Amino acid sequence: MARAIEIVEVGPRDGLQSEPEVLPTATKLELIGRLVAAGLRRIEVASFVNPKRVPQMADAEAVMAGLPKVPGVQYVGLVLNKKGFDRALAAGCTEMGLVTAATDSFSERNQGATTEELIRTVEEIAPLAREAGVRMQVTVSTAFGCPFEGEVPVSRVVDICRRLAATHPLEIALADTIGVAVPSQVTSLVEQVRAVVGDVAIRCHFHNTRNTAVANAYAAVLAGVNTLDASVGGVGGCPFAPNATGNVGTEDLVYMLARAGYDTGIDLDRLIETAKWLGEQRGKVVPSMVSKAGGFPVGTSRASAG
């Protein structure tokens, strides 16, 4: 039986938040419905942040209220502080993603706080999430490099992850926010972080800024990571990081994993259709490669080798 790899679809949130235009709530909900129909079972759908800073996510509550209720599908909301947590909880969010950053420079520009302050925020929210019965996971952004400080010491990332693991999150995600990582770096960091986080799972989040995202994702899988983030069509980036272009395309990742013998449970043809549809809604072609080239052999939609 093929090894299962879980894909966390981040397009409706991380993908759309960097777009210059604001898509209507109904369009977002149709995108999410199409992703569910393609087999995605864990989807990041909203960001409970200041709408003045991220106007693309101003309709978080409306999106949550309109989500299709499908057994086995988990919807994720991004929260950055206690206020965001309260909003997400009131909106019925059952999984929340928190974020800290590996450098103070990025933390302050992205979230208006130091890394230490962000870790303390996670420490504050974690017990509240447990009490509310909400799944909580944490992303460490700029884990592989920072647009303002350059190389990030591995020891710093490892220490941050050690402290975050003490809050007992569902996962800790290592994020290549600006797309500078290479496979050997991914292998090394995953191994060193795993040594200090105990039984906390590691997830990885890659951007394709320098065309290394698929290779990095494969390196993460070979290092034992079972959950990867991806964005349909490869859309998105980070609005607070210079030149941080799109996330790894979900269809690019699904194609690679299926051909390599892994099971994602995702229908590649339906995913490609969704990517093309999203391009039409945006008024421009999505950047992912497989959405243009199609699967192989032609006409197959294999999601696994099993």
Side-chain angles (χ1 to χ4, degrees), residues 152-161 189 192:
V152 178
V154 172
S155 59
R156 179 172 173 83
V157 178
V158 169
D159 186 58
I160 290 168
C161 291
L189 186 60
Q192 292 183 65

Side-chain angles (χ1 to χ4, degrees), residues 24 41 54 63 71 78 89 104 111 114 117 124 138-139 144 157 182 184-185 188 198 203 220 224 226 230 235 300:
R41 290 298 176 261
V54 189
V63 168
L78 179 77
L89 193 63
D104 285 330
Q111 293 170 249
T114 65
E117 289 168 335
E124 174 193 9
V138 190
T139 294
F144 298 90
V157 178
V182 295
S184 58
Q185 185 183 11
S188 176
R203 193 175 87 243
N226 291 315
V235 299
T300 66

Side-chain angles (χ1 to χ4, degrees), residues 52-202:
K52 293 181 180 178
R53 282 179 62 87
V54 189
Q56 296 86 344
M57 296 289 112
D59 60 349
E61 282 83 359
V63 168
M64 290 297 301
L67 291 171
K69 306 298 189 290
V70 180
V73 175
Q74 186 75 40
Y75 299 115
V76 183
L78 179 77
V79 302
L80 301 183
N81 50 38
K82 175 64 164 53
K83 184 177 181 179
F85 171 81
D86 291 339
R87 280 182 61 199
L89 193 63
C93 191
T94 56
E95 179 176 335
M96 299 185 195
L98 283 75
V99 182
T100 185
T103 67
D104 285 330
S105 297
F106 191 81
S107 296
E108 289 165 355
R109 285 170 172 80
N110 189 39
Q111 293 170 249
T114 65
T115 299
E116 178 63 31
E117 289 168 335
L118 296 178
I119 293 173
R120 290 177 182 172
T121 296
V122 175
E123 292 170 343
E124 174 193 9
I125 292 176
L128 301 177
R130 281 194 295 274
E131 184 179 343
V134 171
R135 290 156 49 116
M136 186 274 291
Q137 34 98 345
V138 190
T139 294
V140 181
S141 60
T142 61
F144 298 90
C146 174
F148 309 112
E149 297 186 23
E151 300 284 1
V152 178
V154 172
S155 59
R156 179 172 173 83
V157 178
V158 169
D159 186 58
I160 290 168
C161 291
R162 177 185 58 77
R163 292 184 60 187
L164 293 174
T167 69
H168 307 291
L170 173 70
E171 297 161 335
I172 294 173
L174 301 174
D176 184 21
T177 309
I178 58 171
V180 294
V182 295
S184 58
Q185 185 183 11
V186 172
T187 302
S188 176
L189 186 60
V190 168
E191 290 175 350
Q192 292 183 65
V193 168
R194 181 179 289 116
V196 301
V197 299
D199 59 358
V200 176
I202 298 172

Side-chain angles (χ1 to χ4, degrees), residues 17-39:
Q17 75 170 9
S18 297
E19 292 292 296
E21 65 277 354
V22 178
L23 291 184
T25 302
T27 303
K28 294 180 182 179
L29 290 171
E30 182 172 352
L31 171 61
I32 293 164
R34 286 170 175 264
L35 292 167
V36 171

Side-chain angles (χ1 to χ4, degrees), residues 37-40 254 264-272 301-303:
L40 275 303
V254 167
T264 66
I266 298 168
D267 186 316
L268 180 59
D269 285 346
R270 298 187 80 164
L271 194 58
I272 291 171
S301 58
R302 253 188 350 166

